[in-house]
Amino acid sequence: MNVPERREAFLLAACRVFLERGVGTATMQDVADAAGVPKILIYRIFRSKQALLDAIRDRVVAKIHEVWAVPGYEYGARLRGMAMAAREQPEPFLLVFRYSQGGVEGLDWRKALEDAMSAYTRERWFQIGPDAPPGAEARAEYASRLNVGQFIDMMIRWIEGADGLDDETRYLWCARIQREFHLATRAAFQLGTVPMKYRLPGEADGG
């Protein structure tokens, strides 16, 4: 097994251990035992438990950037793309999403998710119209971070599939929620008038 393969195997083993035992409780020895290797091999790739946790976070954040960077104007499409990608290896995503919900002390995962998502949301959903009242820049930045908690909850439900919905129904449900959030938040934060490109699945462009 080469180094990239070892790194991947150790990372996934760590995710399973952290999900089962908790980030604060599980040790590097637990990870080594789960991976079936001496602990020294883990430390050759991840110099500390924190480095391992950082690698898990970075993996999830990188996937968010990859999915969110894809052009498109359909509500719910990126959530669905993220869920489908996460289902291939759900452990890192479930770990980061679950711990981001609680804002666990010592982990910056919630902020990392906010930073990753808000840059795209700010650019695409919360552009400032010429008729916006003063102070719109700050309001738009704040608004761009408001749906992170909703995103996290939806992603956990989607990956686990424990809510009783099939993927198509869940996709349409998420899309409708996103549209209402988008339009209501723009109005509440007085961001002005801009062309509305986003649409629900099945609607014509500009819907």
Side-chain angles (χ1 to χ4, degrees):
M1 185 180 294
N2 58 34
V3 172
E5 289 174 342
R6 281 187 182 274
R7 189 179 193 279
E8 178 72 3
F10 296 163
L11 188 147
L12 292 177
C15 288
R16 290 191 289 269
V17 169
F18 292 147
L19 280 169
E20 179 181 344
R21 303 191 182 185
V23 168
T25 302
T27 66
M28 292 291 270
Q29 184 62 58
D30 293 329
V31 175
D33 291 343
V37 298
K39 186 168 59 174
I40 188 62
L41 292 184
I42 306 289
Y43 279 114
R44 285 178 180 172
I45 296 177
F46 302 102
R47 66 182 181 278
S48 65
K49 180 179 175 180
Q50 188 59 54
L52 180 52
L53 290 168
D54 289 346
I56 295 169
R57 174 205 62 203
D58 292 346
R59 179 192 181 118
V60 173
V61 170
K63 181 57 69 172
I64 289 175
H65 281 300
E66 179 184 324
V67 173
W68 255 247
V70 175
Y73 296 99
E74 188 169 279
Y75 291 114
R78 290 182 180 85
L79 277 175
R80 180 175 63 175
M82 187 73 192
M84 296 303 102
R87 279 183 177 172
E88 295 178 8
Q89 289 182 336
E91 293 90 350
F93 299 91
L94 287 175
L95 181 68
V96 172
F97 292 150
R98 286 176 180 170
Y99 273 83
S100 295
Q101 280 184 313
V104 177
E105 185 177 355
L107 291 176
D108 62 353
W109 290 354
R110 176 60 176 251
K111 184 179 184 303
L113 294 186
E114 284 192 3
D115 290 346
M117 291 181 57
S118 65
Y120 297 102
T121 307
R122 170 67 179 83
E123 175 188 355
R124 293 167 176 172
W125 280 11
F126 298 123
Q127 309 98 324
I128 298 170
D131 54 341
E137 286 287 349
R139 295 196 302 275
E141 177 62 26
Y142 184 79
S144 72
R145 294 176 178 269
L146 288 177
N147 69 332
V148 173
Q150 179 189 83
F151 161 80
I152 292 170
D153 185 62
M154 284 183 170
M155 288 308 307
I156 292 172
R157 291 172 180 270
W158 207 322
I159 295 169
E160 292 181 332
D163 54 15
L165 302 180
D166 60 64
D167 283 342
E168 186 63 20
T169 301
R170 192 181 295 107
Y171 174 40
L172 296 175
W173 172 62
C174 290
R176 293 180 65 186
I177 290 173
Q178 283 195 330
R179 181 176 69 172
E180 294 306 314
F181 170 83
H182 178 199
L183 299 180
T185 303
R186 282 201 62 87
F189 284 83
Q190 302 180 66
L191 299 181
T193 305
V194 297
M196 301 302 292
K197 298 180 180 180
Y198 277 82
R199 62 191 185 277
L200 290 173
E203 286 185 341
D205 289 359

